[in-house]
Amino acid sequence: MISLLSKAAEVKVTPAEVIQIVGRTGIAGEVIQVRVKVLEGKDKGRILTRNVKGSIIMKDILMLRETEREARKIK
């Protein structure tokens, strides 16, 4: 059991600031698509499009597990 907890603690997260709220997506509009600017790490300064479930406002800081993937654009 202890080994499982130590593996979970090794997850690297990267902070990213919400710079634009693009719109709502999902079947019932429950997901908000946002543009974020990565604040640290190898992708510092990169701007990504991500989907967020839950309430979100400008200047919020998201903790991203990875910075390689982007969400598809809303049509």
Side-chain angles (χ1 to χ4, degrees), residues 2-3 9 15-17 20 23 25 30 33 35-37 39 42 44 53-55 58 60 63-64 67 69 72:
I2 294 171
S3 64
E17 179 183 5
Q20 178 185 6
T25 186
E30 72 278 11
Q33 193 165 80
R35 306 266 297 160
V36 297
K37 183 175 184 178
L39 301 176
K42 64 179 174 69
K44 182 177 180 178
K53 193 166 186 177
S55 61
M58 297 287 291
D60 273 356
M63 300 307 284
L64 306 177
T67 57
R69 278 190 299 167
R72 284 183 267 165

Side-chain angles (χ1 to χ4, degrees), residues 44-60:
K44 182 177 180 178
R46 184 173 174 199
I47 296 176
L48 304 170
T49 303
R50 299 302 291 256
N51 290 331
V52 180
K53 193 166 186 177
S55 61
I56 191 100
I57 59 172
M58 297 287 291
K59 305 285 185 186
D60 273 356

